[in-house]
Amino acid sequence: MASDVDTAPLVGRTALVQTVRSALLGDAAHGQTAAVFLTGESGVGKTRLLGEVGDRLRAQGAVVLTGSCLDIGDASPLHPLLQALRRFDADLSSAHARTSSAVRGLLQMFADETAGPDGAGALLERVSRGLHLIAEGRPLVLILDDLQWVDRSTRQLLLYLLAGLGDLQLSVLAAVRAESLQGAHPLRRVLTELRRLRTVRVLDLAPLDRADTEKLAAAVVGRPLAAEAADQVWQRSGGNPFVIEELARDLRDGRDGLSETLREIFLDRVDALPQHAHAVVHAVAAGVEPVQHWLLARVLRLPEDELIEAARAAVAHRLLVGADDGYRLRHRLVAEVLAHELLPAERSGLHRRYAEALTAAPGELHQARLAHHWRLAGEPARALPAEVAAAQEAERLHGYAEAHRHWSAALQLATDPVPLGVDRVELLKNAAESAHHCGEHARALALLEEVAALPGGEPSALHIRRARYLAAAGRSALAEEEYQRALTAADCSPRDRATAAARLAELLLHLGRYADAGQRAREALALAADVEGSATEVVLASAALGFSDAYLEDPDAGLAVMRDALETAERAGQPEDVACAYLHLAELLTGPLNILEEGVVVARRGAERVAELGLGRTWETRLLAVAINGLFRVGQWAEAEKVVAAALRHRPSGADAVELLLARCRLSVGYGDIDAASRDLDAVATLLAGGGARHVIPLLTLRAGLAMWEGRHDVARLAVQRGLTESRSDDVTILSALVWHGLRAEAEAHASRTVAVDPTVVRRLRDVADRVARKSVGAARPVRSVVEGFLALCAAEVSRLDSSDPDLWAASVAEWDRRHHPYPAAYSRLRQAEALLARRSRLATAGKLLREAYRVAQGLGAVPLTSEIRELAGRARVSLEEREALNGTRGAPAEASDDELAALTAREREVLALVAEGLTNREIGQRLFISERTIGVHVSHIFDKLQVRTRVQASAIQLRNVVRS
């Protein structure tokens, strides 16, 4: 065990180590004394910190003496100093004979000491002189552990030396176990006296926070912990490093339960408490934290004075934490330990007193606590109504994960050990719905199958529920079949028919079948018009219709419909409706309409809103995935990574996980992180059982892109060919991206000569590209614009199969620059430069193109693209450094950049120029053919980057730079 402890890293204490080191040596003037006393509970890392600081002080040239106090009090006077001197002497080499002689002289002085008339004062003076000889002018640091057991003579010596009476530059670093300083402990008075000295500091060593807890546990285990394991270590340890290490070793070695070491440590601490304090800790361990003082009083039935004194003792012994809202255990492990110390009758009696006290309390009942205590008291008939009430209360507050736990507990109570005469079908439905809302899609489907097996179910309603759960689980094809069954069921009511049509329209939208989605949406709206209270159906159908119209016909009209759907959803107040409206609006803006900045803002605003509504694991994850995709396209990859980290904390499942993994995979492919991208793609492929083109085509496109960076052009070809079989999607944008990857794979194969070009595949891809071009004619203008960008890439890639045409690549550069997509623009510049260099024409232009592409690729962190640019530049002997390329000379000094607009994107510069002309946001939007809201986003970014607050200030900077240029 000792070796394990020694090898565990020191986590979360870097700043404290520096503070202590500075206080002992850096801040103390020459000839003065200084001291730091570290207080904290057992296991918090005081001893480890003493060792770390001691090592650093030795490295700085200080003489460091280290000793520990014994738990025998005054029976061993000056023991820590004697121990420190003996250790120091044992470590000295023959080269330090003079120091060793001084140490041994001081030890001999202790051995020869006899009681005399001069008393303790003379002894302290002789000790001071002896330490002075040992130091030889160097700083001297005395490190003492377990100072709570310090003997009286050592206490006097510390006061004597730290008061400056010993003519010695001395620093003292000592650790004190806080829970031991109770009552009239003599060290409390000593610390009180020492605090008055300017150079003495008393620092409380707090437990580790959650992040450092996970870091330490991972270091002990040897790998990152799963989220559930990390959460368990945090909850059980309370951030205590010793407890963290013990629990982590149990995880590493596969041991279940609690180690005997920890069990004995905590039992000893509890047993040391006074009788009533012992009862308080047992009661809080059985309660639901925080345990309010009034509740504890009713459970323990102690007089108020005795209860306060008992609680004070438990807090002082570092077993409880007292706050305004009640008492908590400092370590949840205490509850685990004490659970085995009570007889079953004692435990159930304690929980019964809690339940009775809560029931008798005036005001609103604490249903969740009440259910917990009645259940553990062995009263299922009284626990069940409380569980149901707690579940309903959680749903009212949009706490769907909590609601699912309560519904599941209610199901268990209703069947174990004997039925309680409740409506099991309703319990199952409620449990399934709460599981669906909190992202437990497989659990929701399993519960629904139990409902279907019981008599009395409505087939059409069950079909709709099953379809919803299947769609959320990523099984789109099966979900579509279930909606069709609901619509054709004989018992399908007008309300169910409107619901099924609206939800089917939304599903078809997710599958990229926009024409079908629009048709179903119109049917749903017509059906909903005849049904009272059909706000949900209207919202879903309106969102689907607006998206369909915006994609296929009129973007402005479609966007207006979708914004109206969002307002309707907010008025109705149904969380899923609000989330759905936000999601489709953000997807439309960041996808087909290419209004990226506004789309990212909508996605992030929507994510915040649905998190407030309790849909963090599901809809918030999807909205954050949309934001990630938008940030990726505009080249803000670092920001996209932060959003990925925020979304992953929800541990999503089903379709929500698919969206997030695909978004993260785009970043990994761009960065060239092959292993991470492969893991995400494999995970998505596993989750996409029955998924539609909306997910499958992007999955295969990413797989092809990854394979090309790996040089596996045959694998890329197969991925693209698989994607072409997904022909039911109306989404020509994702199809055109797939075709580009296919033609690029053939061009790469031709260039590398590793795989023979397949003329049949090329012909098929060109046919699909022509078909996409024809099909996009019927789409809205923004959609055609994005497709034209990919078709420009396709035409240029085809030219690489013969003799790469720089003009086609120049056209692709122009297309992607116009859309402000930096990555494909940089790629196109690379290929244009490559074509120019192959023809040995316009070499200066080629060099400029390579430098521009290199700057963008480096800024993004696109490692594979950067490497390819470097390789081509190296072969062509083109410098990628601007200062070396200036005027065609190497080493020419670069002109100092004083461009105040350097931080702005090309689009933001355009907007700023029009702001300086005095145009309003609406006028700028009309000039640039983008929405007024998007202009507002640009202006906000411009203000942030230029650090201005008004349009006048921003205009002044623009005009100043125009004059300068």
Side-chain angles (χ1 to χ4, degrees):
M1 181 186 296
S3 62
D4 281 339
V5 174
D6 291 341
T7 56
L10 185 69
V11 173
R13 307 299 193 198
T14 303
L16 186 59
V17 168
Q18 180 61 30
T19 298
V20 173
R21 190 203 62 77
S22 297
L24 293 177
L25 289 188
D27 296 341
H30 181 72
Q32 289 188 335
T33 60
V36 174
F37 294 90
L38 297 174
T39 67
E41 64 179 341
S42 302
V44 80
K46 300 182 296 296
T47 301
R48 178 66 189 280
L49 196 67
L50 295 185
E52 186 74 19
V53 174
D55 290 343
R56 298 197 182 193
L57 295 178
R58 286 189 191 94
Q60 288 184 256
V63 176
V64 179
L65 305 178
T66 304
S68 300
C69 302
L70 295 180
D71 189 14
I72 55 176
D74 292 339
S76 180
L78 293 175
H79 168 79
L81 178 60
L82 290 168
Q83 182 189 56
L85 290 169
R86 292 185 185 113
R87 287 177 176 175
F88 183 65
D89 185 44
D91 291 339
L92 287 174
S93 66
S94 58
H96 298 85
R98 182 175 176 180
T99 303
S100 180
S101 175
V103 172
R104 291 174 185 176
L106 185 55
L107 287 171
Q108 186 62 42
M109 185 270 293
F110 283 121
D112 297 339
E113 181 69 17
T114 59
D118 50 357
L123 172 64
L124 296 178
E125 186 178 347
R126 288 195 293 273
V127 170
S128 175
R129 285 201 302 267
L131 293 175
H132 184 83
L133 291 173
I134 293 170
E136 297 182 297
R138 294 169 293 176
L140 179 68
V141 181
L142 180 60
I143 297 181
L144 303 176
D145 201 1
D146 287 324
L147 197 67
Q148 70 277 357
W149 296 324
V150 66
D151 61 275
R152 181 172 177 272
S153 298
T154 305
R155 290 198 303 271
Q156 289 180 332
L157 177 64
L158 288 178
L159 288 171
Y160 179 84
L161 295 175
L162 291 177
L165 301 177
D167 190 25
L168 174 71
Q169 183 186 356
L170 174 76
S171 297
V172 174
L173 173 61
V176 186
R177 191 177 297 179
E179 62 266 28
S180 298
L181 300 183
Q182 305 301 320
H185 194 291
L187 190 59
R188 293 181 68 179
R189 185 176 60 81
V190 173
L191 290 179
T192 301
E193 292 292 329
L194 291 176
R195 281 178 189 268
R196 299 174 182 173
L197 301 178
R198 185 175 55 83
T199 55
V200 174
R201 300 182 67 179
V202 179
L203 303 176
D204 187 53
L205 195 56
L208 300 180
D209 61 20
R210 179 163 188 150
D212 286 332
T213 296
E214 291 189 28
K215 185 177 179 181
L216 177 57
V220 174
V221 174
R223 64 180 184 279
L225 270 62
E228 184 177 352
D231 186 63
Q232 189 179 48
V233 170
W234 165 247
Q235 294 294 337
R236 298 174 78 194
S237 70
N240 184 287
F242 175 77
V243 179
I244 294 166
E245 292 176 22
E246 286 292 310
L247 294 174
R249 287 188 197 97
D250 289 343
L251 279 174
R252 181 192 64 194
D253 300 336
R255 290 192 295 267
D256 294 328
L258 193 63
S259 70
E260 285 303 313
T261 302
L262 286 177
R263 186 181 303 279
E264 291 302 322
I265 287 173
F266 283 115
L267 278 178
D268 286 346
R269 291 177 62 182
V270 174
D271 289 344
L273 292 170
Q275 180 182 358
H276 290 329
H278 193 280
V280 166
V281 172
H282 271 284
V284 174
V288 178
E289 296 181 345
V291 177
Q292 296 94 329
H293 186 80
W294 68 265
L295 181 57
L296 192 62
R298 295 194 181 194
V299 170
L300 291 178
R301 300 164 187 168
L302 287 172
E304 180 69 7
D305 291 345
E306 293 183 20
L307 176 60
I308 290 176
E309 189 61 32
R312 186 189 302 279
V315 170
H317 280 77
R318 298 293 179 110
L319 287 165
L320 290 187
V321 176
D324 291 341
D325 59 349
Y327 301 103
R328 293 176 175 83
L329 291 172
R330 185 175 286 272
H331 305 285
R332 286 305 305 168
L333 276 177
V334 175
E336 296 181 40
V337 171
L338 296 182
H340 300 285
E341 298 301 306
L342 296 177
L343 295 172
E346 288 180 294
R347 281 198 302 274
S348 62
L350 198 53
H351 287 292
R352 180 182 297 277
R353 293 202 299 274
Y354 265 115
E356 290 170 347
L358 288 168
T359 303
E364 184 180 356
L365 282 177
H366 306 264
Q367 297 291 356
R369 293 187 175 196
L370 194 61
H372 170 79
H373 289 300
W374 279 131
R375 179 164 50 83
L376 293 180
E379 297 277 3
R382 303 180 77 170
L384 180 58
E387 288 285 10
V388 171
Q392 292 169 341
E393 182 180 1
E395 287 179 338
R396 181 176 58 82
L397 299 174
H398 311 299
Y400 296 110
E402 293 78 9
H404 179 53
R405 286 198 293 271
H406 290 304
W407 286 122
S408 297
L411 275 172
Q412 186 67 29
L413 289 167
T415 55
D416 185 25
V418 293
L420 296 177
V422 297
D423 188 342
R424 183 165 177 78
V425 171
E426 281 304 309
L427 285 180
L428 284 166
K429 286 181 178 178
N430 285 318
E433 190 69 8
S434 62
H436 163 68
H437 280 305
C438 69
E440 297 288 346
H441 306 304
R443 172 71 173 156
L445 286 164
L447 290 167
L448 198 61
E449 292 311 309
E450 289 190 52
V451 175
L454 295 174
E458 301 174 6
S460 63
L462 285 178
H463 285 312
I464 293 172
R465 278 199 183 220
R466 188 179 290 113
R468 287 171 52 223
Y469 299 169
L470 286 166
R475 300 160 70 180
S476 306
L478 293 175
E480 184 178 358
E481 292 175 9
E482 287 295 323
Y483 282 132
Q484 296 289 4
R485 290 193 185 102
L487 288 168
T488 56
D491 70 324
C492 191
S493 66
R495 174 175 292 283
D496 285 347
R497 199 174 299 281
T499 300
R503 293 196 176 277
L504 179 54
E506 190 211 0
L507 176 65
L508 293 170
L509 192 66
H510 277 295
L511 296 177
R513 291 158 55 187
Y514 304 131
D516 293 343
Q519 180 182 345
R520 284 293 185 185
R522 289 183 176 88
E523 293 175 14
L525 288 171
L527 291 166
D530 299 326
V531 177
E532 291 267 347
S534 56
T536 295
E537 289 74 17
V538 170
V539 169
L540 294 176
S542 297
L545 180 61
F547 196 112
S548 175
D549 286 350
Y551 191 96
L552 299 172
E553 298 175 16
D554 186 343
D556 292 334
L559 275 173
V561 171
M562 296 190 74
R563 295 191 198 281
D564 288 344
L566 177 57
E567 292 179 6
T568 302
E570 289 283 12
R571 285 196 302 271
Q574 289 296 318
E576 276 208 342
D577 297 348
V578 174
C580 178
Y582 264 116
L583 178 67
H584 292 320
L585 178 58
E587 285 179 328
L588 181 64
L589 291 167
T590 59
L593 299 190
N594 197 43
I595 308 175
L596 298 175
E597 290 87 349
E598 182 181 350
V600 169
V601 171
V602 169
R604 299 181 85 163
R605 184 187 302 136
E608 292 175 4
R609 179 73 179 104
V610 300
E612 295 170 0
L613 298 175
L615 300 174
R617 190 181 178 198
T618 52
W619 292 94
E620 183 188 1
T621 300
R622 290 193 185 193
L623 281 158
L624 290 177
V626 173
I628 294 163
N629 290 331
L631 291 167
F632 175 83
R633 292 185 181 110
V634 298
Q636 296 184 32
W637 292 9
E639 180 64 20
E641 278 194 287
K642 295 177 185 176
V643 181
V644 168
L648 282 173
R649 74 180 189 275
H650 295 303
R651 290 180 285 163
S653 62
D656 314 314
V658 168
E659 299 279 4
L660 181 58
L661 291 172
L662 286 174
R664 184 171 70 174
C665 186
R666 286 186 183 91
L667 283 168
S668 297
V669 171
Y671 285 137
D673 190 341
I674 292 172
D675 292 339
S678 297
R679 285 194 301 269
D680 284 345
L681 289 173
D682 290 343
V684 170
T686 302
L687 290 167
L688 276 182
R694 184 175 182 274
H695 289 138
V696 173
I697 290 180
L699 164 68
L700 294 170
T701 302
L702 287 168
R703 198 175 285 285
L706 181 63
M708 280 187 275
W709 286 134
E710 294 179 287
R712 301 163 62 196
H713 307 305
D714 53 340
V715 174
R717 175 189 293 159
L718 289 174
V720 172
Q721 294 306 304
R722 277 188 56 203
L724 293 177
T725 62
E726 296 285 344
S727 58
R728 294 188 67 189
S729 174
D730 296 330
D731 198 332
V732 287
T733 54
I734 62 173
L735 194 56
S736 60
L738 179 72
V739 174
W740 166 46
H741 277 69
L743 289 169
R744 179 183 161 200
E746 297 301 322
E748 297 286 355
H750 174 72
S752 64
R753 304 187 186 282
T754 54
V755 179
V757 174
D758 189 331
T760 304
V761 170
V762 174
R763 186 164 51 252
R764 183 186 182 192
L765 288 167
R766 296 183 71 172
D767 289 343
V768 175
D770 292 339
R771 190 163 68 248
V772 167
R774 291 193 298 272
K775 197 171 183 179
S776 68
V777 172
R781 177 62 195 137
V783 177
R784 293 200 306 273
S785 176
V786 175
V787 172
E788 285 166 3
F790 283 113
L791 292 179
L793 282 167
C794 290
E797 296 286 6
V798 170
S799 76
R800 290 177 71 196
L801 296 172
D802 184 15
S803 175
S804 191
D805 187 341
D807 293 336
L808 290 176
W809 285 112
S812 179
V813 169
E815 289 285 346
W816 291 108
D817 275 347
R818 184 160 57 87
R819 290 167 186 78
H820 306 287
H821 286 230
Y823 185 78
Y827 173 80
S828 299
R829 282 186 169 85
L830 165 65
R831 296 297 172 219
Q832 184 186 357
E834 183 181 56
L836 290 171
L837 291 169
R839 297 186 179 200
R840 299 184 181 279
S841 65
R842 295 158 58 196
L843 299 182
T845 301
K848 181 180 178 182
L849 289 166
L850 282 176
R851 283 188 288 275
E852 290 174 353
Y854 182 71
R855 176 179 55 79
V856 172
Q858 271 204 317
L860 293 173
V863 174
L865 181 60
T866 301
S867 299
E868 194 164 351
I869 294 168
R870 283 177 178 156
E871 183 181 348
L872 177 60
R875 291 200 309 268
R877 298 183 178 180
V878 171
S879 170
L880 294 175
E881 298 297 330
E882 292 286 351
R883 63 178 179 273
E884 294 181 359
L886 191 65
N887 298 324
T889 61
R890 283 190 171 272
E895 183 178 336
S897 174
D898 55 359
D899 184 5
E900 295 172 277
L901 309 182
L904 303 186
T905 64
R907 175 65 87 184
E908 288 166 352
R909 287 174 182 252
E910 288 180 327
V911 172
L912 179 57
L914 296 175
V915 167
E917 291 181 22
L919 274 62
T920 65
N921 286 0
R922 175 174 294 182
E923 292 168 336
I924 296 172
Q926 292 170 347
R927 182 82 64 90
L928 298 179
F929 302 101
I930 54 180
S931 72
E932 180 181 355
R933 187 172 303 189
T934 301
I935 296 299
V937 172
H938 281 308
V939 171
S940 177
H941 288 168
I942 291 167
F943 283 11
D944 288 341
K945 292 179 179 181
L946 298 182
Q947 298 183 6
V948 299
R949 295 183 179 181
T950 68
R951 297 170 84 92
V952 172
Q953 292 172 329
S955 300
I957 294 176
Q958 165 68 13
L959 295 173
R960 186 162 60 238
N961 279 265
V962 168
V963 171
R964 183 180 299 156
S965 61

